Amino acid sequence: MGLKCGIVGLPNVGKSTLFNCLTNAKAQAANFPFCTIEPNIGVITVPDERLTKLAEFVHPERVVPTTVEIVDIAGLVKGASKGEGLGNQFLANIRECDAIIHVLRCFDDPNVVHVDGSVNPVRDKEVIDIELQLKDLDSVDKKLGRVRNTAKAGVDKDAKKAFEVLTVYKAHLEAGKSARSVQGVKEEDKIHVADLQLLTAKPVLYACNVDEASVKTGNKYVEQVKVLVKDEDAEVVFIAAAIEADIAQLDSFEDRKTFLADMGLTEPGVNILIKAAYRLLNLQTYFTAGVQEVRAWTITKGMTAPQAAGVIHTDFEKGFIRAEVIKYNNFITLGSEAACRDAGKLSQEGKEYVVGDGDVMHFKFNV
């Protein structure tokens, strides 16, 4: 399953620098607004030490990690919901993403101009929140206008329910709250707003861009963000984009490892960010392992074996017979599929089996 994350934020908060680190792409990172005019798209492999470990035991011809598509979207300013700056383009691009990585400037540097004149991540977050909420409110109002008369007539129950749900969302957005935090609407009733692809309904990961001195502990700005979003269903990470840029320029794994050790870090911040995005989207990984390839596959938590098989190919799900499953830890402990089979650690699972994170799987199917 493809995962697409959009990086957003006010101009000059470190968006494009972070994008470069994530993808090793060449998005221009200049000290002025709108240096990213068109959305830059790159693909990053998802860091997973388990994939490397499996490959050490299996010795496959190739190793295939799962990937995330990253979109660096043009900077946002006040009035974007009404088309100011690059607003309309920004909002269209963000609508296509599964999740939002909202970069907030959490460092002081007189040499990097802030679009609003001072560092204040709370204000910066609210600027973007308001613009997205206004755009969502416009979408909700338009649909309300379309269903109002039919709903009031009382004949069409579906229209009546849609009107009720849309009215709840309208009040919520008018109160300055994002759609993702709406209360009192049943999950099955949210189908009435699904077609609107509400921007503020998308899950958000707040990436606090800090200075080198704050890379291990955070700072006062990060704490302000944590307090601000404590009631949201969101992740908060802090990352030093400038340090990540230095790491990205190092060619060898050993050089990067040494650099991290010198900084007192165990892994790059971009790894932490991508793993946080996975948690946010309720995703997990299972593996297929054979002499031709060891491969990671992304699925949603709670997926059954046939659904997981369908991620490889729809025919696998349609013709699913059973799955052979080895728990990751058992595979690593015993060292091979054959050893797991001999030890009784390879199980035969049917259509009701819920895939676990890290499961090593083979599917039997017939079409």
Side-chain angles (χ1 to χ4, degrees), residues 3-277:
L3 172 61
K4 193 173 187 178
C5 293
I7 300 182
V8 305
L10 291 175
N12 289 357
V13 298
K15 289 188 305 93
S16 294
T17 301
L18 183 57
F19 173 81
N20 289 344
C21 301
L22 284 165
T23 65
N24 289 325
K26 302 301 179 187
Q28 184 182 3
N31 185 21
F32 58 89
F34 307 133
C35 63
T36 310
I37 302 300
E38 297 291 336
N40 292 269
I41 300 175
V43 176
I44 179 174
T45 58
V46 176
D48 196 324
E49 299 81 0
R50 297 172 300 180
L51 183 67
T52 305
K53 197 70 176 175
L54 281 171
E56 290 175 0
F57 284 93
V58 179
H59 305 294
E61 294 175 12
R62 61 182 179 273
V63 178
V64 185
T66 189
T67 59
V68 175
E69 191 171 293
I70 303 293
V71 184
D72 180 23
I73 301 171
L76 185 67
V77 294
K78 291 177 183 176
S81 58
K82 296 180 175 60
E84 294 293 327
L86 300 171
N88 289 330
Q89 181 176 325
F90 173 96
L91 296 167
N93 292 331
I94 198 174
R95 202 180 295 279
E96 298 171 359
C97 295
D98 300 303
I100 299 168
I101 299 174
H102 186 164
V103 183
L104 293 166
R105 178 171 169 177
C106 293
F107 67 90
D108 293 304
D109 187 341
N111 296 317
V112 180
V113 178
H114 191 289
V115 70
D116 285 328
S118 62
V119 177
N120 186 335
V122 172
R123 177 200 59 212
D124 293 354
K125 175 188 178 301
E126 290 175 347
V127 167
I128 286 187
D129 281 352
I130 288 170
E131 295 305 324
L132 299 184
Q133 288 161 7
L134 287 172
K135 194 65 176 179
D136 280 350
L137 183 59
D138 181 57
S139 298
V140 169
D141 276 336
K142 286 178 179 176
K143 187 168 182 179
L144 267 172
R146 294 195 298 270
V147 304
R148 181 176 283 108
N149 291 337
T150 307
K152 287 185 176 180
V155 179
D156 190 331
K157 291 183 178 180
D158 195 54
K160 184 179 180 182
K161 175 56 68 174
F163 185 81
E164 292 173 359
V165 171
L166 289 163
T167 300
V168 171
Y169 274 85
K170 177 179 171 66
H172 192 74
L173 290 163
E174 286 179 335
K177 300 176 182 178
S178 295
R180 74 181 67 89
S181 63
V182 76
Q183 300 290 325
V185 177
K186 294 179 180 178
E187 201 62 36
E188 60 266 29
D189 291 335
K190 291 181 181 179
I191 190 174
H192 296 293
V193 295
D195 60 315
L196 300 179
Q197 293 182 291
L198 296 178
L199 305 173
T200 64
K202 296 181 183 294
V204 177
L205 167 63
Y206 294 101
C208 299
N209 186 14
V210 301
D211 55 11
E212 182 177 325
S214 307
V215 70
K216 289 195 290 185
T217 59
N219 56 30
K220 63 178 182 181
Y221 296 127
V222 174
E223 294 308 312
Q224 289 170 7
V225 173
K226 287 181 178 179
V227 171
L228 185 65
V229 306
K230 69 181 189 313
D231 295 326
E232 291 187 35
D233 185 17
E235 289 262 354
V236 179
V237 299
F238 50 90
I239 183 172
I243 291 177
E244 299 301 317
D246 290 339
I247 295 172
Q249 290 177 0
L250 299 173
D251 294 327
S252 75
F253 173 78
E254 287 304 320
D255 286 344
R256 295 185 183 194
K257 189 175 179 180
T258 300
F259 183 94
L260 288 167
D262 290 343
M263 295 294 301
L265 303 173
T266 56
E267 64 179 330
V270 293
N271 288 17
I272 296 171
L273 188 147
I274 292 300
K275 290 176 180 178

Side-chain angles (χ1 to χ4, degrees), residues 54 58 287-295 331 337 360-362:
L54 281 171
V58 179
F287 303 100
T288 51
V291 292
Q292 289 188 329
E293 72 172 22
V294 169
R295 184 164 185 156
F331 196 109
E337 179 182 323
V360 182
M361 308 185 73
H362 286 302

